[in-house]
Amino acid sequence: MSSSLSLSARGGRLAFLVVGLCWLAVLFDGLDMFIYGSVLPHLLETKTFGLTPDQAGDLGSYATFGMLIGALAAGTIADRIGRKKLMVTCVIVFSLASGLCAIADSVAVFGLGRTLAGIGLGGLLPTAISMVSDYAPRGRGAIIIGLLMTAHHAGGILSAYVAKWLVEPVGWRAAFWVCVLPLLFAPVLAKFLPESLSFLVAKGRTDEARELAARYDVELPAAKSGKQGAADRWTNLVNLFRGGEWSQTLLYWLASFGGLLLVYGVATWLPTLMRAEGYELGSALSFVVVFNLGGIVGMLVAGRAADRFGAPRISAIWFALTAAGVFLLSVHMPMSVTMIIVFFTGVFLNSAQTMIYATVSIRSTPDSRATAVGWTSGMGRFGAVFGPWLGGQLLAAGNGDWGFTAFAIAGLSSMVFIGVAALRSPKQGASSGSGQELAGVH
């Protein structure tokens, strides 16, 4: 009995080592993603590269477009080379891409760096989620995934401090050199991170998978009875539009589009828009810290709220509260009041998008669930590309005051779309599945 407990404790510690390594990788992912928004006010004020607001919006969209490519390609590449190798490769790619940004002498070179960084960032997150799902201690999968997602917001907090400490005294390039440092983490990841159990089972390396599962005291993933071909995936996609399902599917896609437009639009432009409202640069960057602290809290409470009240209801309410918070940011108020609003906007904004994925998962049949959630996330990523561009266009046209209003409208639209979609379909399955869908927030 004591030997069994000892093995379980040891396996738990080893499993948390895997989760810890993935958490650090996602932390660096968040740092690299948010660093552009943190240094953007300085880039515009110093007219670096002759940068204009509309060009700045384009640059913000380059990274999210790269993330779209990376996320779409991640599954296929991981199935060929393994999830561990893909994670290491992604860390190397976005680190080197940040180095390209640091030495850039033109908007074109800087934009190339941000696009390449986005490809690495987009490929890392879903792969890390898969890894921690394999190695999470028994019965703690949802909690571990939620914990992993806090790393992205911790990276956002770190980006604000990097900008505050380095940009004014040293220059904006120093901030991007900091984002190259994760390159030193890649060998650590390569040495200590085990391969994904799901990948080993899929490749028929069952003895190796069984040995790892026993050493880490985790469940061995079941081998799939058959390999899903392109025809099967196409059939699952077509099924999302059969009968009356087409309207529900489009409503989910539109809700996801508006949600990620809001997430990435605010993430890119929050410091700049707060500067436009008259706050000092240091204060504007403090808002980034508070916003991401709210995001961490939101990730930890969203699943519990959805389990109790239902993911569709929580998503709609959260989007309404997000829209109210974002709109209030356009009003110059006392610093303490603004900080509170920024915090709660962070709480609701990111987890509102997460609950879209939870809703789609709960209301899909088991054989179409992966396709439904995947395509909802994919369509939403077009909103992630559009959001930074929209903010830049508004500022370039001298309508910066409308930036928060435009993002608030996107939140309201997602509230309507997810609410109507929820009303149009019967509930399938228990809402307890929502916790796992914390994985899909980005």
Side-chain angles (χ1 to χ4, degrees), residues 336-357:
S336 58
V337 177
T338 304
M339 284 289 186
I340 293 172
I341 293 174
V342 169
F343 175 80
F344 281 104
T345 300
V347 169
F348 297 124
L349 170 56
N350 297 284
S351 50
Q353 176 66 20
T354 300
M355 289 302 102
I356 292 179
Y357 303 136

Side-chain angles (χ1 to χ4, degrees), residues 350-439:
N350 297 284
S351 50
Q353 176 66 20
T354 300
M355 289 302 102
I356 292 179
Y357 303 136
T359 301
V360 174
S361 177
I362 292 166
R363 293 169 181 269
S364 300
T365 57
D367 58 342
S368 67
R369 182 167 294 137
T371 300
V373 175
W375 276 84
T376 301
S377 174
M379 292 299 104
R381 286 192 176 276
F382 287 101
V385 175
F386 186 69
W389 175 86
L390 176 62
Q393 294 300 311
L394 289 171
L395 281 174
N399 295 321
D401 290 343
W402 281 91
F404 285 123
T405 302
F407 293 139
I409 292 173
L412 288 175
S413 67
S414 290
M415 176 199 71
V416 172
F417 291 137
I418 191 64
V420 173
L423 291 173
R424 290 178 63 88
S425 63
K427 186 173 182 179
Q428 298 178 18
S431 62
S432 60
S434 62
Q436 288 287 359
E437 295 309 318
L438 284 168

Side-chain angles (χ1 to χ4, degrees), residues 4-355:
S4 176
L5 287 174
S6 176
L7 177 61
S8 178
R10 178 174 176 270
R13 288 195 296 270
L14 290 172
F16 274 109
L17 171 64
V18 175
V19 174
L21 289 171
C22 290
W23 194 93
L24 286 173
V26 175
L27 171 76
F28 297 135
D29 180 297
L31 168 64
D32 208 305
M33 179 65 225
F34 282 97
I35 196 65
Y36 175 68
S38 294
V39 304
L40 184 53
H42 177 80
L43 294 177
L44 289 172
E45 288 178 6
T46 58
K47 300 190 183 302
T48 303
F49 306 136
L51 194 65
T52 60
D54 56 334
Q55 289 176 319
D58 292 342
L59 289 174
S61 293
Y62 292 164
T64 52
F65 179 71
M67 291 180 70
L68 172 61
I69 297 174
L72 292 176
T76 301
I77 297 174
D79 287 342
R80 292 181 65 87
I81 70 173
R83 288 163 178 78
K84 173 182 176 177
K85 289 182 179 178
L86 180 58
M87 279 190 64
V88 174
T89 300
C90 287
V91 170
I92 293 172
V93 167
F94 68 67
S95 299
L96 292 177
S98 291
L100 181 59
C101 291
I103 64 174
D105 58 358
S106 67
V107 171
V109 175
F110 188 89
L112 175 62
R114 289 305 291 168
T115 303
L116 294 174
I119 293 174
L121 298 173
L124 176 75
L125 190 58
T127 310
I129 289 167
S130 175
M131 291 292 292
V132 300
S133 295
D134 280 355
Y135 285 98
R138 289 182 175 90
R140 296 189 177 184
I143 296 173
I144 292 299
I145 291 173
L147 177 64
L148 178 72
M149 294 308 300
T150 66
H152 195 76
H153 296 287
I157 294 171
L158 183 58
S159 76
Y161 281 113
V162 167
K164 288 178 71 172
W165 292 335
L166 294 180
V167 170
E168 291 295 341
V170 183
W172 65 270
R173 295 181 189 274
F176 282 94
W177 282 121
V178 170
C179 293
V180 179
L181 294 179
L183 195 63
L184 302 175
F185 177 66
V188 178
L189 205 61
K191 180 176 177 60
F192 294 105
L193 186 69
E195 183 52 89
S196 163
L197 292 173
S198 297
F199 173 76
L200 294 175
V201 171
K203 291 298 182 181
R205 295 159 59 180
T206 52
D207 290 341
E208 186 178 350
R210 192 174 295 112
E211 188 274 331
L212 281 172
R215 178 156 56 120
Y216 284 83
D217 190 34
V218 294
E219 295 179 2
L220 185 67
K224 295 182 179 179
S225 58
K227 186 175 181 180
Q228 187 185 46
D232 296 319
R233 291 192 292 268
W234 176 252
T235 299
N236 286 340
L237 176 60
V238 171
N239 286 340
L240 300 180
F241 292 88
R242 294 189 187 280
E245 295 297 310
W246 68 270
S247 59
Q248 178 185 320
T249 296
L250 290 179
L251 285 168
Y252 288 143
W253 289 5
L254 288 170
S256 184
F257 178 91
L260 285 182
L261 184 159
L262 183 57
V263 168
Y264 284 95
V266 172
T268 300
W269 288 105
L270 178 62
T272 302
L273 290 174
M274 297 310 285
R275 285 284 286 135
E277 293 298 323
Y279 295 95
E280 296 296 326
L281 179 59
S283 298
L285 290 173
S286 295
F287 292 136
V288 176
V289 173
V290 173
F291 176 78
N292 281 286
L293 282 173
I296 291 174
V297 173
M299 285 297 165
L300 296 176
V301 304
R304 292 182 179 275
D307 285 344
R308 182 171 182 179
F309 301 105
R313 182 180 301 172
I314 291 299
S315 182
I317 295 173
W318 260 224
F319 271 119
L321 294 172
T322 298
V326 170
F327 179 76
L328 286 174
L329 294 181
S330 64
V331 181
H332 195 96
M333 293 174 287
M335 178 67 73
S336 58
V337 177
T338 304
M339 284 289 186
I340 293 172
I341 293 174
V342 169
F343 175 80
F344 281 104
T345 300
V347 169
F348 297 124
L349 170 56
N350 297 284
S351 50
Q353 176 66 20
T354 300
M355 289 302 102

